[in-house]
Amino acid sequence: MKKVRGGYDIRLAGRPSRTIQQIVPPQRLLLPRRTRRFLFGQACVEEGARVKAGDVLARDGKNFDLPLVAPMGGTVSWTAQADHAVLGELEPPACEEQATPVHAPSGGETAAKRRQLVDLGAWAFVEDAYSGKLPDPQGTPAAVIVSTLRLEPYQARGDVQMMESLLGFIRGLEHLQSLLEYQPIYLLFPNVRSEFAQQVRQQLRGHAWIKLVEVPLLYPHDNMLLCARRLGFRRDQIVWTLGPDAVLAVDAALTHGRSVSSRVISLGGPGVKVPVHLRVTFGHPLEELTAGRLEESECRVINGGALNGYDATAAGQLGVDIECQGLTIVPENVERELLGWTRPGLDRRSYSNSYLSALRGSFDERMTTAMRGERRPCISCSFCEEVCPTGVMPHLIHKLLYADRLEDVERSRVDLCMDCGLCAFVCPSKIELREDMHEARRRIETELHAAEEH
Ligand code: SF4
Ligand code: SF4
């Protein structure tokens, strides 16, 4: 196992507490047809059709016909909102016990079990470590990595998701093992002692086939690509990766023969009055979720965490999609803070501890969308290099890219970058290093290698 390097304990205000709030089901559901990885382009029911909870609304033909499942019964409209399946006239949700389960395959029917995971939508929660894509459900992975933690600020916490059903989580792991021949299952675990961690360890006794991997509580050491690399898996190997909610979805599909219709997400960030975890039905309108919960009238709703999320409004997203892990709410600063960098910075933290805030001791910074000063040239502080967990030198790549020295950019191993965004987060000059990494990879592909082919 390779040594851990880099990472950072990002301290931002507005982290949700560990409690999970139940919320009133909405009047209608707005299910995005496009998510980070999927496009449910093939409609399976007609406009105006009446569907039951669990019926297939649409499929993603490019991803093993993965279904978009109706979380509740209702009337379907494809035209009411662009790029969304709208479910109106909703039926009251049935209790889990009352829902009619479909047959859950048993024994050695591995192929049937895997097919069932796809048919019930649980496979949507699985990701290949290197490509980030949906792996072939009938393929043979080199290993399975399950993470119990999420370290990016404002993503739903792994322990909170597991806390709801620890037994279901353990059963889900057992189901996963039944899908494999001899491949190992690694369970990423925080390297701290807590009551909950103790409880999980207790439950895992007698499961010698699970290999515990301790991970420091520094972002991005929960990153699956990074973990696969540390465990010695190569880029050309398929490694299935799952979070706690994915394992629970596997349990729901293979123990109860049900698809999941909701998930625990976080509603966090400095723009929220009381940051919380919520159990939400897929398609819950974002506007209803945030109504009455925001600090200010102008806030940006980010789908995902503080470093890797995307602007949900700009993407035209109206409801919670099936891949959503959390919503980050950031107050919108319409005005740039003029010469913000000249201020002593009692209210902000920096990686270098150079602001006056260093005198305040431990505190969580309040994040906004403001630039807080101008972009400046690189000052060669090497902070980006220090935090990078993959050993890439972002400042060097930034300079080589600027000088158009693409061959040297490639030699600097930009291909190792796994897009965590930490270098850009700590950079005191506010250089968009993550964008630079994207641009470098894109240009190597399109200019360097395309030129070689001709
Ligand atoms: S270079 Fe890539 S891997 Fe390294 S910190 Fe930046 S985004 Fe993360
Ligand atoms: S953190 Fe920013 S300023 Fe410092 S070396 Fe890296 S790119 Fe340059």
Side-chain angles (χ1 to χ4, degrees):
M1 178 115 172
K2 289 186 188 134
K3 234 179 103 212
V4 174
R5 55 157 294 155
Y8 184 44
D9 177 17
I10 301 177
R11 303 286 303 273
L12 290 172
R15 296 245 190 180
S17 67
R18 292 178 72 192
T19 47
I20 301 173
Q21 255 184 34
Q22 304 293 332
I23 48 172
V24 184
Q27 297 295 310
R28 61 177 191 155
L29 298 177
L30 307 172
L31 284 155
R33 296 180 75 175
R34 186 184 289 279
T35 71
R36 191 171 55 85
R37 288 184 296 160
F38 309 123
L39 175 60
F40 297 100
Q42 301 170 0
C44 299
V45 288
E46 302 278 319
E47 174 79 15
R50 202 66 205 153
V51 292
K52 300 189 302 300
D55 283 355
V56 175
L57 299 174
R59 290 191 186 274
D60 181 344
K62 294 204 169 138
N63 276 300
F64 311 101
D65 277 342
L66 193 78
L68 177 65
V69 175
M72 295 169 76
T75 306
V76 182
S77 171
W78 298 109
T79 52
Q81 293 289 351
D83 301 326
H84 289 72
V86 179
L87 275 181
E89 301 168 71
L90 297 174
E91 287 167 11
C95 297
E96 292 237 312
E97 295 72 34
Q98 288 168 359
T100 320
V102 297
H103 166 67
S106 59
E109 308 165 37
T110 306
K113 283 186 187 177
R114 291 178 177 210
R115 190 64 236 168
Q116 177 133 326
L117 289 178
V118 178
D119 289 345
L120 292 175
W123 195 249
F125 293 75
V126 184
E127 210 167 302
D128 172 45
Y130 274 99
S131 67
K133 293 183 180 159
L134 193 72
D136 180 351
Q138 301 298 347
T140 309
V144 176
I145 304 179
V146 175
S147 179
T148 60
L149 63 169
R150 283 211 186 82
L151 299 172
E152 186 182 356
Y154 313 130
Q155 295 259 35
R157 287 174 54 148
D159 56 349
V160 172
Q161 290 179 326
M162 278 164 73
M163 242 160 32
E164 272 204 319
S165 176
L166 187 49
L167 283 180
F169 179 78
I170 305 291
R171 263 197 323 254
L173 291 177
E174 288 164 356
H175 283 305
L176 278 172
Q177 197 224 7
S178 75
L179 302 177
L180 305 169
E181 289 166 25
Y182 52 83
Q183 298 88 345
I185 297 183
Y186 295 95
L187 186 66
L188 306 187
F189 220 69
N191 66 349
V192 290
R193 303 277 164 251
S194 72
E195 204 180 308
F196 185 65
Q198 199 54 34
Q199 219 179 321
V200 178
R201 281 174 193 273
Q202 197 66 31
Q203 292 287 341
L204 288 175
R205 286 184 67 191
H207 294 71
W209 41 272
I210 296 179
K211 299 176 189 306
L212 281 188
V213 179
E214 293 207 336
V215 174
L217 286 177
L218 296 176
Y219 178 80
H221 284 295
D222 56 331
N223 182 290
M224 295 298 204
L225 191 160
L226 187 63
C227 294
R229 212 179 265 159
R230 278 185 62 211
L231 289 165
F233 295 103
R234 299 184 314 270
R235 190 176 281 272
D236 59 350
Q237 291 179 299
I238 299 294
V239 177
W240 294 354
T241 67
L242 298 91
D245 45 355
V247 179
L248 290 170
V250 168
D251 176 52
L254 296 184
T255 303
H256 307 292
R258 292 192 195 103
S259 53
V260 288
S261 56
S262 64
R263 80 190 305 170
V264 173
I265 66 162
S266 58
L267 183 67
V272 182
K273 287 180 192 158
V274 184
V276 282
H277 281 90
L278 301 167
R279 174 158 284 287
V280 291
T281 307
F282 298 132
H284 198 117
L286 297 182
E287 218 175 84
E288 285 181 32
L289 263 188
T290 52
R293 295 177 184 270
L294 306 189
E295 286 271 14
E296 294 171 31
S297 56
E298 275 209 71
C299 282
R300 195 174 297 183
V301 179
I302 310 281
N303 185 339
L307 277 75
N308 279 305
Y310 61 88
D311 187 336
T313 318
Q317 189 180 335
L318 302 172
V320 173
D321 68 272
I322 60 165
E323 296 200 88
C324 178
Q325 297 283 353
L327 298 172
T328 301
I329 312 293
V330 189
E332 197 76 72
N333 273 60
V334 182
E335 304 278 322
R336 180 177 283 193
E337 281 184 33
L338 195 62
L339 294 181
W341 58 274
T342 60
R343 304 200 185 137
L346 258 175
D347 59 340
R348 5 183 167 144
R349 296 175 100 239
S350 78
Y351 179 74
S352 60
N353 270 340
S354 55
Y355 291 136
L356 213 57
S357 63
L359 303 176
R360 281 179 66 188
S362 176
F363 77 101
D364 293 343
E365 180 178 345
R366 188 178 152 82
M367 181 189 182
T368 80
T369 58
M371 270 276 292
R372 300 190 133 174
E374 300 297 316
R375 275 201 188 93
R376 284 167 286 153
C378 173
I379 53 168
S380 299
C381 61
S382 292
F383 294 159
C384 53
E385 186 184 336
E386 270 175 44
V387 295
C388 178
T390 63
V392 170
M393 291 192 271
H395 56 93
L396 179 67
I397 291 169
H398 169 72
K399 287 167 194 159
L400 291 172
L401 201 59
Y402 192 72
D404 255 346
R405 289 167 53 187
L406 273 191
E407 284 92 352
D408 291 331
V409 172
E410 189 174 32
R411 272 193 284 274
S412 308
R413 297 302 313 268
V414 66
D415 59 304
L416 291 177
C417 168
M418 41 113 204
D419 218 19
C420 68
L422 192 53
C423 49
F425 184 80
V426 299
C427 175
S429 294
K430 308 175 205 318
I431 296 170
E432 303 275 11
L433 293 165
R434 188 170 167 222
E435 300 307 317
D436 284 351
M437 301 301 134
H438 286 182
E439 192 189 333
R441 287 196 298 254
R442 184 186 56 75
R443 287 188 59 191
I444 287 170
E445 203 56 46
T446 56
E447 295 176 33
L448 215 55
H449 292 174
E452 279 166 8
E453 278 166 23
H454 291 113

